[in-house]
Amino acid sequence: MQQKERTYKMEDDNKYIRFDWAAKRMLRDKANFGVLEGLITVLLNEPVHIIEILESESNQEDYDDKYNRVDIKARDSKGDIIIVEIQQARELYYLERVLYGVAKTITEHISLGEKYDKVSKVYSISILYFDLGQGADYLYHGQTSLVGVHTKDTLKITSRDKGFIKIKTPKEIFPEYFIIRVNEFNKVAKTPLEEWIDYLKNGHIKEDTKAPGLQEARQKLQYLKMNKAERKAYDRHIDNIMVQNDVLDTAKLEGLEEGRAEGRAEGTRGRPN
């Protein structure tokens, strides 16, 4: 009996809050910026320092919100804007909405009459818990580049910044997109990126992790550090997600079965008497 109690205690000690819950309620606090900075640093492969959280759309708290997306919009020390979005449920026109969200962000953060040099670079990071499209990887990255059709060179733009001539590439100006397909990750985590995806999918964080942001997550996102009311709300959130996933899986299976039945019926009708 004591052995079982010790096992449960160890499991609770190593139980970490899901990232979507933390993003909704905890990572917007300046004291917890280090967790979010770590994920972005790993993806961009350069240090990122968030200076403020900007107003974002999907922060509802009602029961129906179990099907929601969660997003954080932040500005870093370079003035770039980072959108981090966590999506649980399938959405038919997801990429179109991501594009719209980035375009809207760009226009929202430049005042009427300002010069276009005030346009912010935007990074869009989508953490998806549903199967988007067909592909073998768990991480996809895309950006706009302007390449010579015949020469294959990359176009560079000359601009003036604070009296100095500056050369920019499209990469420095146009948005970048990261799609993390969490369900496709099935590896033993060895790199900082893999450790992050392992946490996003399975809630695992190594005790000796050196991945940026995950040591902070170990300290600040422990289940046992929540009070009783917070744990109750969190457990309800997890239950809602499980119900939602079960409903979606059932609908998918029923759709497949209906398709097979229709196919069999069509085949029967097509046979000669």
Side-chain angles (χ1 to χ4, degrees):
M1 184 68 176
Q2 289 182 343
Q3 179 62 40
K4 276 189 176 181
E5 288 178 356
R6 280 198 296 269
T7 302
Y8 294 148
K9 181 68 169 63
M10 286 177 62
E11 288 176 353
D12 282 343
D13 285 344
N14 292 311
K15 186 175 179 180
Y16 299 101
I17 301 164
R18 278 175 58 107
F19 189 76
D20 61 327
W21 179 270
K24 197 174 195 53
R25 291 163 175 80
M26 303 167 74
L27 301 186
R28 300 167 195 273
D29 184 337
K30 195 164 188 175
N32 298 327
F33 280 3
V35 177
L36 188 60
E37 288 172 349
L39 171 61
I40 301 166
T41 292
V42 166
L43 287 174
L44 270 56
N45 202 27
E46 63 177 83
V48 172
H49 301 288
I50 293 172
I51 59 172
E52 64 176 325
I53 298 296
L54 304 168
E55 186 165 346
S56 57
E57 296 176 359
S58 53
N59 299 319
Q60 313 152 38
E61 297 290 342
D62 56 44
Y63 176 80
D64 291 335
D65 202 31
K66 65 181 180 289
Y67 298 104
N68 76 341
R69 69 182 190 272
V70 179
D71 63 35
I72 294 182
K73 189 159 59 174
R75 191 189 300 276
D76 69 11
S77 55
K78 296 190 298 183
D80 297 337
I81 296 175
I82 300 116
I83 304 169
V84 180
E85 181 173 296
I86 305 103
Q87 175 99 3
Q88 298 289 344
R90 185 182 304 277
E91 189 169 326
L92 187 58
Y93 299 108
Y94 184 77
L95 291 183
E96 288 85 347
R97 187 171 63 69
V98 168
L99 176 62
Y100 173 78
V102 168
K104 185 178 178 185
T105 296
I106 292 170
T107 56
E108 281 178 345
H109 291 278
I110 183 169
S111 300
L112 190 64
E114 280 190 314
K115 293 182 179 178
Y116 291 122
D117 64 344
K118 301 298 182 187
V119 169
S120 297
K121 164 93 178 197
V122 177
Y123 295 92
S124 172
I125 301 169
S126 298
I127 301 170
L128 306 182
Y129 287 88
F130 66 93
D131 298 328
L132 176 73
Q134 296 179 346
D137 211 330
Y138 60 86
L139 175 65
Y140 288 85
H141 173 226
Q143 59 191 129
T144 301
S145 59
L146 299 177
V147 179
V149 174
H150 304 102
T151 59
K152 305 303 178 188
D153 65 320
T154 301
L155 182 67
K156 295 184 173 117
I157 310 297
T158 302
S159 63
R160 186 177 293 276
D161 183 24
K162 296 179 182 177
F164 294 95
I165 300 297
K166 188 175 180 181
I167 305 291
K168 284 186 176 181
T169 63
K171 178 180 177 180
E172 297 173 83
I173 301 168
F174 290 133
E176 292 187 41
Y177 302 88
F178 293 86
I179 301 286
I180 301 174
R181 301 161 79 231
V182 176
N183 295 339
E184 296 302 315
F185 180 77
N186 293 298
K187 302 177 70 174
V188 176
K190 295 180 180 178
T191 67
L193 173 61
E194 290 170 351
E195 286 189 44
W196 255 104
I197 309 301
D198 190 28
Y199 164 57
L200 294 176
K201 181 177 182 180
N202 303 309
H204 298 160
I205 304 178
K206 294 179 180 178
E207 289 186 14
D208 60 347
T209 183
K210 298 295 189 296
L214 286 185
Q215 196 57 251
E216 288 91 337
R218 271 181 56 82
Q219 296 166 7
K220 298 178 179 180
L221 302 186
Q222 286 186 11
Y223 178 78
L224 288 181
K225 288 192 175 180
M226 292 193 289
N227 61 41
K228 187 176 180 180
E230 288 171 335
R231 285 202 296 270
K232 186 176 179 181
Y234 177 74
D235 290 341
R236 187 167 61 246
H237 172 71
I238 298 302
D239 287 343
N240 287 338
I241 288 173
M242 291 175 67
V243 169
Q244 170 201 339
N245 289 338
D246 190 42
V247 168
L248 292 173
D249 288 344
T250 300
K252 190 187 299 183
L253 287 172
E254 288 177 349
L256 287 172
E257 188 55 41
E258 284 179 12
R260 290 193 192 102
E262 287 177 6
R264 287 193 294 268
E266 198 64 39
T268 302
R269 283 195 295 270
R271 288 177 194 160
N273 293 327

